Amino acid sequence: MKKILLASVALFGFAGAAAAADLPVRSAPPAPIIAAAPIFTWTGFYVGVNAGYGWSNDDFDAIDFADDEDDGGFVGGAQVGYNYQIGSFVVGLEGDIQYADFGREGAFDIDGDGPDDGVFESSDWFGTVRARAGVAFDRALIYATGGFAFADDSTGWTVGGGLEYAFTNNLSAKIEGLYVNLENDDDFDFDGFDGETDFGVIRAGLNFRFGTY
């Protein structure tokens, strides 16, 4: 009887092991999918504001000004532009309009015998349309810029450069320097006035970027 019971237990044991072997093997859970971090690019449109300091260097060598002290002051305005990145190189186009509180105003001496009634007052605004080209080091961009400048009836050119850094995918800050040279369409005709106005600008700016990342 004992042998029969042992044989029965052994038989059920083998049958259970065989049944367990036929069960499907549970696979390990799939590894979680981690999305790749977006690659930053300077490509896209942007708008922004800026503020800084400008100083005038009007070319009136043969004119004696009665009041020639107001030749530097606040500059501020807004800009809009587009960048396109190719590898590490970034090219773009930017336009801006600026308020400038550094114009000269005062009586001037035309004939050398004292101040006349004429008053020269420079424009309190100017604008530029410039190409930009630079090299990007991830979120930092070093660039040169240059193009067309205008103010009232004056036209001319501008050149400069700057550094821009993107703190987020949408916000970037920059510091920029420009030299602007304008040929005035003046209303006066006398010796010593060549109608040329040039000035420098140092400004900081903040841009909101509509990037393609």
Side-chain angles (χ1 to χ4, degrees):
M1 189 65 172
K2 191 181 292 186
K3 292 181 179 180
I4 295 174
L5 290 175
L6 290 174
S8 299
V9 171
L11 180 62
F12 282 116
F14 286 127
D22 292 335
L23 292 176
V25 178
R26 179 175 295 180
S27 59
I33 299 175
I34 301 176
I39 299 175
F40 179 80
T41 176
W42 287 93
T43 297
F45 289 96
Y46 61 89
V47 296
V49 293
N50 67 79
Y53 185 83
W55 60 97
S56 177
N57 185 31
D58 293 333
D59 192 1
F60 298 112
D61 294 336
I63 304 172
D64 296 326
F65 277 85
D67 179 9
D68 190 21
E69 296 180 355
D70 186 18
D71 60 353
F74 173 80
V75 173
Q79 66 268 357
V80 60
Y82 179 81
N83 290 322
Y84 186 75
Q85 184 167 354
I86 308 169
S88 297
F89 297 97
V90 178
V91 294
L93 185 68
E94 180 176 288
D96 66 87
I97 191 74
Q98 304 290 130
Y99 169 76
D101 186 23
F102 58 87
R104 294 179 176 181
E105 182 175 355
F108 51 80
D109 183 4
I110 298 176
D111 52 17
D113 58 358
D116 295 287
D117 293 333
V119 174
F120 170 78
E121 182 176 359
S122 65
S123 175
D124 60 359
W125 70 272
F126 71 95
T128 70
V129 178
R130 295 169 286 106
R132 299 204 316 170
V135 179
F137 301 90
D138 192 23
R139 293 177 178 267
L141 174 64
I142 300 174
Y143 63 90
T145 184
F148 173 72
F150 56 92
D152 289 335
D153 295 329
S154 304
T155 59
W157 54 273
T158 180
V159 66
L163 170 65
E164 188 168 359
Y165 184 82
F167 294 97
T168 71
N169 286 342
N170 297 105
L171 286 177
S172 62
K174 70 175 182 178
I175 184 168
E176 183 176 71
L178 292 178
Y179 170 78
V180 182
N181 187 290
L182 297 172
E183 293 291 338
N184 297 319
D185 185 13
D186 62 88
D187 297 326
F188 304 102
D189 184 16
F190 54 89
D191 294 336
F193 180 56
D194 64 4
E196 181 179 290
T197 300
D198 62 312
F199 54 90
V201 174
I202 294 291
R203 60 190 181 184
L206 185 67
N207 288 327
F208 180 85
R209 306 176 51 258
F210 306 90
T212 56
Y213 28 77

